[in-house]
Structure formats: structure tokens, C-alpha cells
Amino acid sequence: MEKNSIFKYTIEDLENILSENGFNKFAAKQIYDWIYVKLENDFNNMTNLSKGLREFLIENYTAQPLKDLVVKESTDGTIKILFMLDDKRTIETVLMPQKYGQSVCVTTQVGCKMACKFCASGLIKTERNLETDEIVRQIFTMNKLLKDKYSYDPENPRARVSHIVVMGIGEPMDNFDNVMKFVNIVNDQKGFQIGARHITISTCGVVPKIKQFADLKTQVNLAISLHAPNNEVRNQMMPINRAFPIEKLIDSVKYYIEVTNRRITFEYILIDNVNDLPEHALELSKLIRGINGYVNLIPYNEVEENPYKQSTKIEQFFKILKKQGINAIVRKEFGADIDAACGQLRAKREGVIGNEI
């Protein structure tokens, strides 16, 4: 009999399963504590559960971390792991040490059908969505790594994942239901206790899902991968823009802000002589002026098989935005020496870019 991963269930799901099988539903909170607080993945060791419940869990469920194939650690402390899923497919997860704690960038799909021209993720075709448990297990496995690295201390912000960015391989809004269930699980106060405001979901611009996300009225942050100030440039860089052009995307952003009253982030990768000219900065300023948000300027992490190069005009672009009254920051680069950009490690292992590993 195929066993289900325990990581796919909310605490309410577990309560219902236990109740339906003759167990006290209170045990769901105990199971959550063992898994998400104590990071215990062996049901035999969950000693405050009855023997009958432990046998039930062993017979029907698994709680295994993901299997790592490649682990790379940068000189800046960034750790990138190539994980193997149960069906032998591979995904990437990145841990980025911050002043405020540990941030993890999670993957939501095997491959990415958005096919953004500058991104390594789209070099390998989309094979499937990740299930909820496969996204949750990325955080669980990274927490296990941190526990080993820092010696477990719940008071030490370095010893546990504190922030999540859903910006890895895949388009999160293309796997909406599994991503939102993942958010509910990692946000649960009986579990990882990662605050909604410490979670950011990024999208290339799937307009209907942005509006659906807005209607949920969560406290989860939203980031828009904009990367261009007009349709002409964005069409060249991001095929999704042909389905949802900038005008529709900006309308959905305004709808999100109106419904949620929350600030939004515009992600903008600066690529040399493609989207980084002074006129692009002025056009971007005009496009988003009056919107409650800010621009996150990102130095491009070059991919061998793509012709794009990192901009040499980042500071100039930033100054123009500031002069135009636009809130902007320049994102710190993480893991440039370990292929930390989206999809690079997986694409190298598959032999799609560079030398196979």
C-alpha cells in the first residue's frame, strides 16, 4: 500500500483523519509539535502518542525529508541544494542568511513553462506541479540542516527558517491550490510558526490568479516579476506578457492593493542594454507612480546559454527612480559563485547549460 506524506496535511486535516480512525483529534497538535517544532520524522520516537496511533502512522504515512543530490555553499553563506523527489525528478531550494534570520527560496514546479528568456528555469520543460508536501518538505529539510549546523535552539534565529520567498523554479500562481495550502501549513502557530508577513509569493503576472489571491485577503506579501516598463520589451523577455500585457497586469496590481490595502513589490532584473536604459527608468517611474509599492532592482545572474549580461548601469537606474520619487532598493546578490540563480544548478545537472555535474 502506498503511504501518504504527513506533510500534505493541515492540522485540521489531521484532526479529521484521527477522528475518523478512532483516535483523539487532540493528537494532531502533538504530531505537529513533533514534526514542525522538534523536527522529528520517525513516528517511533513520538513518545507521547499512544502505541496504537504510532502504529497507525507508521502503517499509513511517511515523514521523510527530501533527498539531497548536490549541496553547494557560497562564500557569503548561501546554501543551494538540488533535491531528488520521490519520483526521481529534481528541484532546487536556496537558503539565504539575512541579518534578520534565515530566508528560504522554495520551488513550486518541476520545470517552468513561463519560458522567460533570461532564466535558467525555463530551459527545461515543465514536467508537473509540486504537491503540497513536496513544497513543505523543502522547509522541513532546510530546518534539519540548520539544526545540525547551529545546534538546535528555538531562540536562535539562525537555527530555523524565519522567512520564505516563493520564487524558485516554476510559477507559483500556476500551482495555486498547492501553494496556498503550503502557506497555511508553514504559517500554522502549532507548526513552523512562520508569520504570513514573512512569506512572499512572486508571480510573472498570471492576472486571474493575482485577483483570486487578493480576494483571500491574507497577510502574505505579493511580488510581481515585472522586468520591463513596456509591452515591447516585456514581450521579448517574458512570453506571458502576450497573454497578460502590462496594462492588465497593472490593473490586477491596483485591484490587489485596493482589496488588501497592502504594499506590493516590483521585481526588476537589470539586463545590460535591454531594460536598463535611462528611458526605461523614466518609463517605469511613470508606469507605477501612485501605486503603493517599491521596486526591487536585481543584478542579473548570468546564464551561459543566454545572451544577456548583467547591467553596468544599476546605480544610474536606481538614481533616476529615486529622483522620480519611486521607492527602490538594489537587492544584494546571493550565491553567485554556486549557481544560485533560479534553475541553474538543475539545468547544469541535466546537461542543459554548462558542464554536467
Side-chain angles (χ1 to χ4, degrees):
M1 182 182 71
E2 186 175 347
K3 298 181 181 181
N4 288 313
S5 171
I6 202 76
F7 295 103
K8 70 189 288 186
Y9 301 113
T10 64
I11 203 161
E12 292 79 15
D13 291 336
L14 278 180
E15 286 175 344
N16 291 333
I17 289 169
L18 294 178
S19 182
E20 289 167 4
N21 287 276
F23 299 103
N24 190 328
K25 69 178 185 180
F26 175 77
K29 295 181 176 64
Q30 295 173 308
I31 295 169
Y32 250 55
D33 182 71
W34 278 109
I35 292 173
Y36 295 111
V37 179
K38 297 182 174 71
L39 303 180
E40 178 58 64
N41 59 286
D42 186 340
F43 296 127
N44 279 310
N45 293 336
M46 300 180 184
T47 51
N48 62 347
L49 303 182
S50 69
K51 182 180 179 183
L53 178 52
R54 278 178 278 158
E55 290 174 348
F56 171 77
L57 293 173
I58 292 166
E59 185 178 346
N60 293 283
Y61 301 98
T62 64
Q64 293 306 308
L66 292 172
K67 179 181 179 182
D68 59 84
L69 291 176
V70 180
V71 180
K72 287 193 170 187
E73 185 164 2
S74 169
T75 53
D76 64 19
T78 301
I79 299 174
K80 185 164 194 174
I81 301 181
L82 185 70
F83 287 121
M84 178 180 283
L85 304 173
D86 296 340
D87 64 0
K88 309 301 182 185
R89 291 179 170 88
T90 57
I91 60 169
E92 298 174 6
T93 309
V94 182
L95 175 76
M96 299 167 288
Q98 305 276 7
K99 291 179 180 178
Y100 49 74
Q102 301 282 7
S103 180
V104 169
C105 180
V106 299
T107 284
T108 57
Q109 294 179 307
V110 180
C112 183
K113 72 179 183 183
M114 296 298 114
C116 297
K117 303 302 182 185
F118 50 83
C119 183
S121 295
L123 295 173
I124 303 175
K125 69 177 183 178
T126 306
E127 296 181 50
R128 65 174 177 85
N129 287 333
L130 292 192
E131 298 295 330
T132 300
D133 71 281
E134 293 172 318
I135 313 175
V136 175
R137 287 163 74 194
Q138 293 174 61
I139 302 300
F140 180 81
T141 309
M142 283 298 190
N143 266 334
K144 294 275 277 187
L145 181 151
L146 289 170
K147 179 179 178 180
D148 294 340
K149 189 178 179 70
Y150 289 98
S151 299
Y152 180 66
D153 177 2
E155 301 302 320
N156 181 1
R158 294 287 175 200
R160 292 183 73 84
V161 174
S162 60
H163 292 68
I164 296 173
V165 288
V166 189
M167 298 181 183
I169 298 172
E171 165 55 57
M173 295 295 182
D174 211 28
N175 189 13
F176 190 84
D177 291 342
N178 284 317
V179 168
M180 294 315 302
K181 191 171 184 182
F182 156 77
V183 168
N184 288 338
I185 291 171
V186 298
N187 176 238
D188 195 291
Q189 289 305 297
K190 298 294 182 182
F192 284 140
Q193 304 176 31
I194 298 174
R197 295 190 180 195
H198 291 174
I199 302 171
T200 300
I201 296 176
S202 176
T203 176
C204 292
V206 185
V207 166
K209 293 298 181 182
I210 292 173
K211 292 181 176 179
Q212 185 179 346
F213 179 67
D215 290 337
L216 293 176
K217 297 182 181 179
T218 73
Q219 295 296 302
V220 174
N221 303 308
L222 180 64
I224 302 294
S225 294
L226 188 60
H227 307 316
N230 60 55
N231 286 321
E232 182 182 2
V233 175
R234 203 165 191 264
N235 283 343
Q236 295 171 10
M237 298 170 64
M238 305 175 71
I240 192 174
N241 197 70
R242 299 184 186 278
F244 303 112
I246 279 183
E247 295 80 12
K248 290 186 177 180
L249 177 56
I250 294 299
D251 282 346
S252 72
V253 166
K254 290 178 178 177
Y255 176 83
Y256 169 83
I257 293 172
E258 180 183 348
V259 170
T260 67
N261 197 32
R262 290 188 58 72
R263 186 171 70 157
I264 202 159
T265 303
F266 292 102
E267 306 280 348
Y268 198 100
I269 293 176
L270 285 162
I271 300 174
D272 197 46
N273 293 323
V274 174
N275 65 348
D276 67 339
L277 302 177
E279 54 263 38
H280 294 140
L282 292 171
E283 199 169 1
L284 176 62
S285 300
K286 183 179 178 181
L287 179 69
I288 65 173
R289 183 170 287 114
I291 293 176
N292 182 18
Y294 73 98
V295 180
N296 193 1
L297 297 173
I298 306 169
Y300 180 54
N301 203 331
E302 295 176 12
V303 178
E304 294 175 31
E305 270 57 27
N306 289 339
Y308 297 123
K309 300 297 179 185
Q310 186 174 112
S311 174
T312 58
K313 298 178 279 292
I314 296 174
E315 188 63 26
Q316 179 190 30
F317 199 97
F318 172 75
K319 287 180 178 178
I320 293 172
L321 292 184
K322 298 295 283 185
K323 189 174 181 180
Q324 292 295 313
I326 302 298
N327 290 322
I329 61 171
V330 178
R331 181 193 289 179
K332 176 185 174 183
E333 290 187 84
F334 288 95
D337 57 327
I338 58 166
D339 303 314
C342 227
Q344 283 187 320
L345 193 57
R346 179 173 182 258
K348 278 197 171 184
R349 189 173 192 276
E350 300 288 335
V352 176
I353 64 173
N355 297 319
E356 224 174 305
I357 57 175

